[in-house]
Structure formats: structure tokens, C-alpha cells
Amino acid sequence: MSKKSTILVIDDEDTMRNACQQVLCKGGYHIETSGDGADGLRKVRKLNPDLVLVDLKMPGISGMEVLEKIGEIDSTIICIVITGYATIESAVEAMKRGAYDFLPKPFTPDELRLITKRALERRKLVLESLWLRREKEKMERSFISMVSHELRRPLIDVQEYFEVVLGGITGKLARPQKEILEKASGQISRLLVLIKDWLDMSRIEAGKMSENLELLDLSQIINKTVDLVRGKVESKNISLKVNIPPHLPLAKGEKLGMERVFTNLIHNAIDYNREEGRISIGARQEGEHVVIEVSDTGIGIAKKDIPFIFDEFFRVKNRETQRTTGSGLGLSIVKKIVEAHGGSIQVRSKPGKGSTFTVFLPELTSVNRKGAGG
């Protein structure tokens, strides 16, 4: 048995509310009424109606304000304006604020029934469209995840075979053979990085970032990440300065996600730096946030590119970035992980001077600490 459509009538006139209720009840709908905008909005939040009939001229909150606030509560709710002060200007303004249609008073029962039927059909289409879009996104994420997993294992096997051959275990290689195999191995390494990025992106968008939350010692995570990249830093003769207080406030989050944030940022600081350049990593408490900064003296980012650097697959294209490979997902993943933890990220950069990425993460408050510990 299908669920009855819920219709809310918001009008300050008793006769109008009663008339609408009597007409629409005969259509098998569940009808609720309100005499003013404030009460109407409370019922919108409580009932989540399919359709709202709104009078424009009411004491207190006007019908126009009610339309706007309903859109903020749930943009899929269909609204019809009913008013005795119908003008072209008011109709246009109501449509701009989210009204689906406009019914001037006085109107006949048939007119009310017809416009109600059309509005509920519209509501059905909107909900079906929303459901289909979500299902499509879910299928896309599942497909990417499945394909990535299926690709990853064979590529790891091939990579291991290359390592065996390049290590001389199967016999000595001539220089041309070794060079070709090293290039092939490098391409597979890049593919594995891309697959890892896809899997991370799929996991974030599926909302799985919040499934493994724990208390995080950010000092420990950052220092561990720094230790892992020291070899790469030294190979480019880059000086690395780390200023991380030993007892930063605790944060609540996913450990692997946070490790990925700082790994990506520090790797970028290395990859886009210059020979004998500098990297500075610092952290501090600022209000209710832990602030982590990763600065470099690298090639920098042009002002026109900064608005796009967190977009998926965006890469700065110029002569200095041609030799640096990447998926174009690294910074997008960083931003999504940080935002999934209730934080934010900012960037300052000047071409030829370097870049500074600043991460703001909410610290674990004393109340949260107590709850997490108990």
C-alpha cells in the first residue's frame, strides 16, 4: 500500500485552511494546517511534507520568507503560493524563491485539485531523479573500486617480477635491457599510485572516512610521515626544517586518512621544489583548531591556477611541471579528507617563490575527550 502524500496548508485565514482541508481530504491526502509562517516552518521540519500551500500575506513571517526557508530545509518539497494579492511581480518573486506554481484567490475546488495533482507528480519526479542520481553515483563508486582492486593485484605481481629481473636474479642484463625494464617498472609504479588515488577517492565519497575514527596524536603522525620521506628529501639536496610541538592537542579522526593528508602535502613540497630548496613543516594550536603548515621554496602556483588546484584531475601545466608525474588527485584527496574531519585547507603561493599549505583541524575538546575516554 502506497504512503499517503502529506500536504501542509499555511494560511492565516481559518476559512481558507478549512476549505483546502475539506477539498484535499477527499483526494486521500494527509492534510496538516498552520495559521502562521513560524508554526508552518516548525511543521515542515517535523512532517517533511510532500507539498506546501503558502499564503503570501501573513502576520509575522511573510510567505516569501517561508518559501525561502522551506528551500533551505528541503529543496525537494514542492511549494504552491495561494494569495488574494496576485500580481505578476509577486508571482515572479515567488518563483525565484522556489515556488512551483501560483494559485490566485478565490479558486475553485477543481482548480485546487488539479494544481495539487500536478505538484505531487512533480514531487514524485524530483524524488525519483534524486534516487537515480544517487544510485548512479553509488554504482560509479562501486565500479571504480572493483576495477581498481582487480587491476592492483596483477600490477603488483608484474612489479615484483620486474624487481626480480632487475635485481639480476635471472641473469645479468645488458644496459639497454635494464633501461627499458626500469622505464616499464616506473610506469607500473605510476599506475599503482593512480589506482591507490582512485580507491581513496572512492572510499571518501562513499562516506567510509567516518567508520574508523580514533584519538589521533597529530605530532606522532606528522613526525612519522617526515621520517618516511627523509631519503627523498636528501636525494634532492633539500633542507628540511620541522617544528612540531611534542604535545599538540588530540584530534579525532581516521589515522590512515590523516597520514595520507601529510604524505601528499610533503611529497608535493618535494616534487615541486628546486635542487637545494627548503621545506618547513610546523604546527601550533590556534583557538579551537590545530594548525599545520607545509611550506616550500619551489616553483609556486600562478594566481589564476589557485582556485582549481583542489579540483579532481587538475594539474598545473607549464614548462617546470612537465617532468613531474601525478594523477591530479592528490590535493583533491587532501581537501576531501580534511573536510571530512570538519577541517579546512588554505594555500598561499607565488610563482618562483614557493607555496604554503595550511591545514586547520578541530581539536578534541575537553568534553569530547571525556566522552571518548568513557
Side-chain angles (χ1 to χ4, degrees):
M1 186 177 177
S2 61
K3 176 178 167 285
K4 278 186 178 182
S5 297
T6 298
I7 301 173
L8 175 62
V9 182
I10 307 175
D11 197 302
D12 61 327
E13 296 179 21
D14 290 340
T15 53
M16 181 55 62
R17 293 198 306 273
N18 293 335
C20 289
Q21 188 168 25
Q22 287 176 17
V23 171
L24 296 175
C25 274
K26 293 177 182 177
Y29 308 120
H30 174 67
I31 312 299
E32 293 280 344
T33 63
S34 286
D36 60 74
D39 182 61
L41 289 171
R42 282 193 290 271
K43 288 192 174 179
V44 167
R45 292 187 181 93
K46 179 181 177 182
L47 300 169
N48 189 33
D50 298 288
L51 171 63
V52 180
L53 303 176
V54 187
D55 183 24
L56 283 187
K57 299 288 185 180
M58 293 185 292
I61 301 176
S62 71
M64 292 295 185
E65 290 178 88
V66 170
L67 286 173
E68 202 164 318
K69 291 185 182 296
I70 289 174
E72 293 171 3
I73 295 167
D74 184 348
S75 61
T76 69
I77 295 173
I78 306 298
C79 295
I80 294 174
V81 169
I82 51 173
T83 182
Y85 302 89
T87 64
I88 293 174
E89 290 78 12
S90 60
V92 170
E93 182 63 24
M95 297 299 178
K96 285 181 180 177
R97 298 199 186 204
Y100 167 70
D101 212 335
F102 204 84
L103 188 60
K105 298 176 184 176
F107 46 80
T108 67
D110 284 341
E111 287 174 330
L112 178 59
R113 280 190 284 263
L114 180 61
I115 202 169
T116 297
K117 182 181 177 184
R118 285 206 310 263
L120 290 173
E121 286 172 351
R122 171 67 178 170
R123 162 79 166 172
K124 184 180 177 184
L125 287 172
V126 168
L127 292 178
E128 285 177 353
S129 175
L130 185 62
W131 180 83
L132 287 170
R133 186 164 69 248
R134 286 173 177 166
E135 285 298 303
K136 180 175 177 286
E137 290 170 355
K138 184 179 175 182
M139 287 172 65
E140 286 174 350
R141 287 195 299 268
S142 297
F143 177 75
I144 289 172
S145 181
M146 179 192 71
V147 171
S148 298
H149 279 295
E150 292 298 318
L151 284 172
R152 191 167 180 267
R153 186 65 257 174
L155 284 172
I156 290 173
D157 289 343
V158 172
Q159 183 79 302
E160 289 173 353
Y161 296 148
F162 275 129
E163 289 173 2
V164 169
V165 176
L166 287 167
I169 296 173
T170 59
K172 189 175 180 181
L173 294 171
R175 182 177 292 276
Q177 293 172 322
K178 189 173 183 181
E179 288 175 353
I180 290 170
L181 289 175
E182 284 175 344
K183 287 180 181 178
S185 179
Q187 293 294 338
I188 288 175
S189 294
R190 281 189 279 277
L191 274 175
L192 286 169
V193 170
L194 178 60
I195 288 169
K196 186 176 187 303
D197 286 346
W198 277 347
L199 288 170
D200 281 349
M201 190 68 76
S202 177
R203 193 166 60 92
I204 296 165
E205 291 179 349
K208 293 184 178 179
M209 190 63 62
S210 60
E211 291 180 359
N212 301 301
L213 299 181
E214 57 183 300
L215 297 184
L216 300 179
D217 182 338
L218 293 173
S219 300
Q220 188 180 65
I221 290 173
I222 297 168
N223 284 318
K224 176 186 173 184
T225 306
V226 168
D227 288 340
L228 291 173
V229 300
R230 283 193 186 277
K232 191 174 181 180
V233 168
E234 291 168 2
S235 70
K236 287 191 71 172
N237 295 320
I238 295 171
S239 67
L240 177 61
K241 182 181 178 182
V242 182
N243 182 20
I244 306 294
H247 301 295
L248 281 173
L250 294 175
K252 193 170 187 179
E254 195 210 42
K255 189 176 181 182
L256 288 176
M258 279 295 105
E259 288 176 351
R260 188 71 195 276
V261 165
F262 300 119
T263 298
N264 283 11
L265 290 177
I266 297 171
H267 271 291
N268 276 3
I270 299 169
D271 292 340
Y272 296 99
N273 216 321
R274 306 179 187 281
E275 289 286 337
E276 300 182 353
R278 298 188 304 277
I279 294 174
S280 175
I281 302 169
R284 64 185 184 275
Q285 183 177 2
E286 194 173 282
E288 296 181 350
H289 288 83
V290 179
V291 181
I292 304 99
E293 287 190 339
V294 179
S295 301
D296 64 66
T297 57
I299 61 176
I301 306 164
K303 188 176 180 180
K304 66 180 178 65
D305 290 324
I306 286 179
F308 308 105
I309 60 170
F310 295 108
D311 291 353
E312 293 176 23
F313 301 109
F314 179 81
R315 298 195 70 222
V316 174
K317 293 180 181 178
N318 58 41
R319 183 172 53 82
E320 293 179 297
T321 62
Q322 286 177 353
R323 295 180 182 178
T324 305
T325 60
S327 66
L329 289 172
L331 286 177
S332 180
I333 288 171
V334 166
K335 186 172 187 287
K336 287 179 185 293
I337 293 174
V338 169
E339 289 180 348
H341 286 76
S344 62
I345 183 167
Q346 297 174 359
V347 59
R348 304 189 308 276
S349 188
K350 285 186 179 180
K353 299 291 184 182
S355 305
T356 298
F357 286 84
T358 307
V359 175
F360 297 85
L361 292 170
E363 67 162 297
L364 193 67
T365 64
S366 57
V367 174
N368 285 338
R369 275 198 199 99
K370 185 178 179 181

